[in-house]
Every structure is written in structure tokens, then in C-alpha cells.
Amino acid sequence: MVTIFRNVAELINITDKRNTSISEVMIQQEMDISEKSREKVIEQMENNLSVMEKAVEDGLKGVKSRSGLTGGDAVLLQKYMKEQNPLSGHLLLDAVSKAVATNEVNAAMGTICATPTAGSAGCVPGALFAVKEKINPTREQMVRFLFTAGAFGYVVANNASISGAAGGCQAEVGSAAAMASAAVVEIVGGTPQQSAEAFAITLKNMLGLVCDPVAGLVEVPCVKRNAAGASNAIVSADMALAGITSRIPCDEVIGAMFRIGRTMPTTLKETAEGGLAATPTGRALTSKIYGIHVEKE
């Protein structure tokens, strides 16, 4: 039986008809599309998981980017968690720290797994490895977490955009956070429909997010946006698990994100010509990094 879904509604419909999980549907679709064996498909995802794991570990040891704009914040967060009583709680801040760790490794030219892009690579592992500390999942469950995230990323990529240059940061960190949220729901035992609700709730709360990298680098404000994305993912997953639904269906939220991206001015889509990149400090940092004079607004 060939498995192909084009949107979230079709994905959930398949899980209902076959009484199976989102991750299993995605594994089957990947097998059908790639014409690879189940073992090969899972092996490739296990490799992705290993890359993510090492990136988190490296980031938590402390790294610095060549520009000097980012680095060390993941270490500060872990230190704060150990020495203080975080207002946001251990799991949420752990997700934030591991999202930051991943993106700091990316900024330091380390190896990461783009989920769905390099600039948004912290949300999925941040959420996954924080939840891991709480529920102690098997390796298989962690791999399935990535397939679930991938299923929703597949829908976004084929119906909207995962590119900051095309749709703003809502398309990157917004999509990544929503993917993570949907996967969190499945790994803790939620239903496929609850995964869809979590995705929709997360993405709704990141609609309109602009892409305005200072000096054109994937550092400021990208790293901290991944922190916000990871925390959004966890909170939205809890909302969905509590029975809260999105009044706007998941596919319609994705469509709204696509249309917002199309109407967003180019100055706010990865060009470093607007937003935070165009602030006096943003211009000054650009001048310092590249040794050129950048006019301030």
C-alpha cells in the first residue's frame, strides 16, 4: 500500500484509517518515495539523531562564533539552572538551553542537522533532549520523534515555505518550533490529532515573525529565536495534551503563514536591510565585523 500525504488533514486521515502513528506513516512514505528499505530509512534518521546529540553536547561545553556575536549562552543557562530556581521550570529552560547550544554550534561552524534549516536547527533537538530527561524514551522513540517532526516539515515545505528569504523567520523558526511541538505530543503518548493541534497552536503564535539577521549572519537574533521557539513548542504541546484545540485548522494556519510571507517586505526577509539588522547597534556591529561603514537609519 503506497503512502503519500499532501497536507495535515490527509496525514491524520491515514493515521485514523490504519490506526497507526504519524511517525509510522512518515517512515512508510519515505520508503515509498526514496525506494529504500525500512532499515535504511531508519538508519539515516538515526544518523541525524546522533548529529543532533553531539551538537547539543558540544554547545553545552561552550563554543564561540568567529564573529563574536554569539557563544556561551547555553553554558550560562545550564549554570543558572543548577544554581538558582528558574521561574520557567527545569524542563522548559533545559529545552531552551539545548536549542541555544545547537545554534551556537552552527554559528561556530560546527556540524548540525538542519531541521528544517540551519538557522532553525535548535528547536527540534532542544525540545527532544529536554523531554528525554523527563520521560527517558528508547532510542527508537527518539528516532520516531524526528520522523513525526519531519512529517509536518514535509507538509510545510510542499505547501508553504521553510525559507527565511521567502517567508521570513516564521517560515524557519516558526515551522521548526511547530514541528517540535507535534513530535513532543507523540513521544509522550498523545494522539495524531493532538499533534496537529500542537503544531497549529505553535505556528499561530509565530506568524509574522521577520527574518532580520544582523550583519547577514545566522546569529543575532536567530539563536535566541530558537530559544523562544523551543519553549513555545513545549507549552503548545502541553496545551494540546490538555485538550485545547486550534480554532483555525492546521492546514489553514500553514496557508496563512505562506500568504503572510508573500506580503512581507523584502527588507524583512533575510536581507539584513530591516528590523534589528537596521538598528543603530545592528549597523554598528555590521561595520565592526566587516570593517566597512554602514549608514545608520
Side-chain angles (χ1 to χ4, degrees), residues 9-20 25 191-193:
E10 290 181 357
L11 172 60
I12 302 304
N13 186 49
I14 292 172
T15 65
D16 289 343
K17 283 185 175 180
R18 301 184 187 177
N19 191 29
T20 191
V25 173
T191 67
Q193 185 59 48

Side-chain angles (χ1 to χ4, degrees), residues 91-92 95 127 131 173-186 188 190-207 227-246 250 253:
L91 188 146
L92 197 63
V131 171
V173 174
S175 297
M179 290 161 57
S181 191
V184 167
V185 169
E186 179 171 304
V188 299
T191 67
Q193 185 59 48
Q194 286 175 324
S195 285
E197 302 294 353
F199 183 98
I201 293 168
T202 303
L203 188 57
K204 282 197 304 185
N205 289 315
M206 303 192 88
L207 290 179
S231 59
N232 191 347
I234 299 291
V235 171
S236 296
D238 264 335
M239 292 176 70
L241 290 164
I244 296 171
T245 61
S246 171
C250 194
V253 175

Side-chain angles (χ1 to χ4, degrees), residues 115-117 119-120 152-153 156-157 160-179 199 203 206-211 254 257-262 264 268-270:
T115 49
T117 66
S120 61
F152 283 90
V156 176
S161 175
I162 56 171
S163 164
C169 203
Q170 58 168 3
E172 290 203 31
V173 174
S175 297
M179 290 161 57
F199 183 98
L203 188 57
M206 303 192 88
L207 290 179
L209 186 60
V210 303
C211 184
I254 293 171
M257 186 265 280
F258 178 59
R259 290 189 296 275
I260 291 168
R262 291 183 67 183
M264 191 179 289
L268 300 177
K269 291 194 286 189
E270 209 171 321

Side-chain angles (χ1 to χ4, degrees), residues 29-183:
Q29 174 161 292
E30 188 63 21
M31 290 167 58
D32 291 338
I33 292 175
S34 67
E35 298 184 342
K36 294 177 181 176
S37 68
R38 182 184 186 88
E39 291 73 21
K40 186 63 178 177
V41 167
I42 291 176
E43 179 187 349
Q44 289 178 325
M45 193 60 88
E46 286 176 338
N47 290 338
N48 292 336
L49 177 60
S50 295
V51 170
M52 291 181 185
E53 194 166 37
K54 187 176 187 306
V56 169
E57 290 172 354
D58 290 347
L60 292 179
K61 292 175 185 174
V63 293
K64 291 284 185 182
S65 67
R66 291 186 180 181
S67 70
L69 288 177
T70 56
D73 287 347
V75 174
L76 289 176
L77 284 165
Q78 287 288 327
K79 183 174 183 290
Y80 171 65
M81 289 164 58
K82 289 172 182 157
E83 297 178 355
Q84 305 293 330
N85 185 22
L87 297 172
S88 51
H90 181 87
L91 188 146
L92 197 63
L93 205 56
D94 195 37
V96 167
S97 70
K98 288 170 179 175
V100 169
T102 301
N103 282 89
E104 287 182 334
V105 167
N106 176 57
M109 308 302 287
T111 303
I112 52 91
C113 182
T115 49
T117 66
S120 61
C123 297
V124 169
L128 171 57
F129 289 105
V131 171
K132 176 190 175 185
E133 300 299 321
K134 185 175 180 66
I135 68 171
N136 193 30
T138 64
R139 197 73 175 175
E140 180 187 352
Q141 286 176 307
M142 294 172 70
V143 169
R144 283 184 173 275
F145 181 104
L146 300 184
F147 277 111
T148 302
F152 283 90
Y154 172 86
V155 171
V156 176
N158 284 283
N159 291 276
S161 175
I162 56 171
S163 164
C169 203
Q170 58 168 3
E172 290 203 31
V173 174
S175 297
M179 290 161 57
S181 191

